[in-house]
Amino acid sequence: MLKSNGGVLGFKCIRCGKEAPDAKNYVCPSCSGNLDVVYDYPAIKKKLTRASLTKNADTSVWRYKDMLPIADYRGVPIVHIGGTPLYKAERLGSDLGLSSLYLKDDGRNPSASFKDRAGSVVVAKALELGERTVTGASTGNAASSMACLTAGLGLRTIIFLPEKAPVAKIAQLLVFGAVVIAVKGTYDQAFDLCLKATEMFGWYNQNTGHNPFTREGKKTCSFELVEQLAWRCPDKVFVSVGDGNIISGLWKGFKDFYALGLIDRLPQLVGVQAEKSDAVKRAFESDGVIRPVSGDTIADSISVSVPRDGEAAVRALRESKGFAVSVTDDEILSAMRDTARRESVFGEPAGVASVAGLRKACAQGLVKRDETVVALITGNGLKDVASAMKAVGKPHLISPDAGELKALASSLKLA
Ligand SMILES: Cc1ncc(COP(=O)(O)O)c(C=O)c1O
Ligand SMILES: [Zn+2]
């Protein structure tokens, strides 16, 4: 039986269900499954209420301190994480036959992706534990977030990422001053090498899912959604899935608010994966066992062979009575254009895969017209300009000459 320590009771293995008093080795001591933080809801319920939140002027992830696993918040990053806009997407909604579609733009975080939510809590935990060096493997966004959030805090940040990561993400890492180790291989190989580094050197490991606190940071998005929808729970939330940590974090957030009595029902979660990077979808639709896939897709952030929080993702889909959709690279690029041109939100390929999945689900009649639907935009389009250029044409090139301009305007029917 776990004992209460402030709001946190301890940890529970997602795979075998055994409890653990701490997360010193990150994963379950019995079966190496990922751990989940267990909270003392009756104690938290006394502090965290609709009234307390309404009075709270903090619009960042730290407004949810009572529901986060940190005891000492001294020194946490001061940049504004979370509190991202939720837009009513009237035009895209009408294209898809939906009356209440919302886009949550998490590309508006400090390092321009959803990963800053995970980074916030992991960095706070590293500081609380008195760590000096943090390390992480990433397709790019978790790493650039860690580099951004640790800048100036006196922590050394050592990042492993596939050498083919988009150049903007590598630039972010270097600008923020991380030690960047590009691995000649895939994200999965970089992940395993980073685990080895932790074993060899004792560096604090932030790897997605492996570190149980990544999920805790990500759940703050669900808290925000509920508050932004005036305490209504959405019917469906579409989210792109790579390792499966965002979707399992979202589910944790909705379940937290439900356990605290802040909402009276739960949403269906819809996981969107790229066609050849669909290990979670396959497991969800069969026996629940994660098996490796090629991981090949233009959406580098969700290009994953073996999802590292796949079991928790399958559980989130099952418990929420949701479903999974896979999309092609062309569908992702088309969603990138639609989201930008209809709603002024420019997402990276993985960031808009959610919209591509929503379009497909609507075409298959899986979404009802009057449902409240949210699609999460998880990363900003400027993260991967090379992919964006594949979704659009080239600019019109002319000499600085009025005659040429006139001819062009006429051929384009601009005048
Ligand atoms: C922009 C973006 N979208 C979606 C994801 C998928 O999140 P997860 O790997 O937790 O499933 C990631 C992960 O890197 C990401 O960077
Ligand atoms: Zn276990």
Side-chain angles (χ1 to χ4, degrees):
M1 191 58 189
L2 298 167
K3 286 211 193 77
S4 182
N5 165 21
V8 175
L9 289 171
F11 299 83
K12 191 171 178 184
C13 175
I14 287 190
R15 187 181 295 157
C16 76
K18 280 201 185 131
E19 291 173 346
D22 59 56
K24 281 200 185 105
N25 292 317
Y26 304 97
V27 290
C28 172
S30 305
C31 77
S32 301
N34 287 350
L35 293 175
D36 193 29
V37 182
V38 183
Y39 290 92
D40 182 354
Y41 291 115
I44 296 168
K45 220 171 174 170
K46 291 185 191 134
K47 296 184 277 183
L48 191 71
T49 60
R50 285 190 184 187
S52 76
L53 282 169
T54 307
K55 270 191 265 155
N56 190 338
D58 189 349
T59 56
S60 76
V61 291
W62 307 121
R63 73 188 266 105
Y64 306 111
K65 277 178 182 168
D66 290 331
M67 201 56 257
L68 292 174
I70 306 295
D72 182 353
Y73 284 91
R74 271 174 303 172
V76 295
I78 54 148
V79 283
H80 192 278
I81 306 160
T84 56
L86 181 72
Y87 300 121
K88 179 103 193 279
E90 301 279 3
R91 292 170 295 272
L92 201 53
S94 125
D95 296 348
L96 297 173
L98 300 174
S99 58
S100 293
L101 172 64
Y102 294 86
L103 300 180
K104 174 100 168 137
D105 185 8
D106 253 57
R108 294 276 298 268
N109 274 303
S111 78
S113 92
F114 192 105
K115 297 279 163 166
D116 286 327
R117 295 183 185 274
S120 65
V121 173
V122 173
V123 170
K125 185 51 85 178
L127 292 171
E128 185 181 279
L129 294 171
E131 300 288 349
R132 306 291 310 139
T133 302
V134 291
T135 189
S138 166
T139 51
N141 284 336
S144 45
S145 169
M146 187 57 51
C148 168
L149 301 183
T150 54
L153 294 186
L155 286 166
R156 199 165 55 154
T157 303
I158 302 172
I159 296 302
F160 296 76
L161 82 170
E163 67 171 334
K164 295 209 176 99
V167 68
K169 296 180 185 179
I170 299 176
Q172 280 186 294
L173 288 166
L174 295 166
V175 166
F176 287 123
V179 176
V180 184
I181 303 175
V183 177
K184 294 178 187 164
T186 62
Y187 163 60
D188 297 84
Q189 290 169 316
F191 194 104
D192 289 334
L193 191 60
C194 181
L195 293 184
K196 264 260 138 30
T198 286
E199 242 173 73
M200 290 191 298
F201 310 120
W203 300 335
Y204 187 66
N205 194 292
Q206 65 130 141
N207 282 8
T208 295
H210 182 78
N211 183 318
F213 302 112
T214 56
R215 197 180 303 112
E216 296 306 306
K218 288 174 175 178
K219 73 184 185 182
T220 55
C221 182
S222 302
F223 300 162
E224 288 177 17
L225 281 175
V226 169
E227 286 202 84
Q228 287 171 313
L229 292 170
W231 301 105
R232 275 182 305 120
C233 183
D235 293 301
K236 287 188 170 64
V237 181
F238 282 74
V239 55
S240 49
V241 174
D243 276 318
N245 193 241
I246 294 183
I247 195 166
S248 74
L250 290 172
W251 186 234
K252 180 78 181 280
F254 286 115
K255 283 199 304 185
D256 278 352
F257 262 24
Y258 187 77
L260 294 172
L262 296 173
I263 47 174
D264 56 10
R265 64 189 187 91
L266 291 161
Q268 281 183 300
L269 299 188
V270 184
V272 183
Q273 295 208 279
E275 228 176 21
K276 294 186 186 143
S277 190
D278 62 345
V280 168
K281 179 175 184 283
R282 284 167 187 263
F284 167 70
E285 288 172 355
S286 59
D287 56 4
V289 177
I290 300 285
R291 296 182 182 86
V293 293
S294 80
D296 187 24
T297 169
I298 194 170
D300 67 289
S301 304
I302 50 170
S303 168
V304 176
S305 170
V306 182
R308 303 298 173 142
D309 209 18
E311 290 167 354
V314 169
R315 178 179 292 199
L317 288 168
R318 295 215 161 130
E319 286 181 3
S320 75
K321 300 186 178 56
F323 57 90
V325 186
S326 67
V327 291
T328 63
D329 284 357
D330 279 347
E331 287 166 338
I332 291 174
L333 292 180
S334 140
M336 180 187 283
R337 283 190 301 268
D338 293 345
T339 314
R341 293 177 185 183
R342 299 297 272 160
E343 299 297 342
S344 307
V345 177
F346 180 20
E348 68 165 296
V352 293
S354 53
V355 174
L358 171 63
R359 179 181 284 282
K360 197 163 239 180
C362 287
Q364 292 171 356
L366 297 170
V367 189
K368 293 195 195 85
R369 184 181 169 73
D370 56 353
E371 283 183 325
T372 300
V373 177
V374 176
L376 296 184
I377 309 299
T378 45
N380 189 282
L382 294 174
K383 289 268 196 178
D384 183 5
V385 172
S387 292
M389 291 303 282
K390 292 187 184 143
V392 293
K394 292 211 163 63
H396 306 282
L397 183 65
I398 58 166
S399 310
D401 174 83
E404 275 195 39
L405 174 60
K406 215 167 165 190
L408 178 69
S410 148
S411 77
L412 296 176
K413 300 192 172 45
L414 297 177

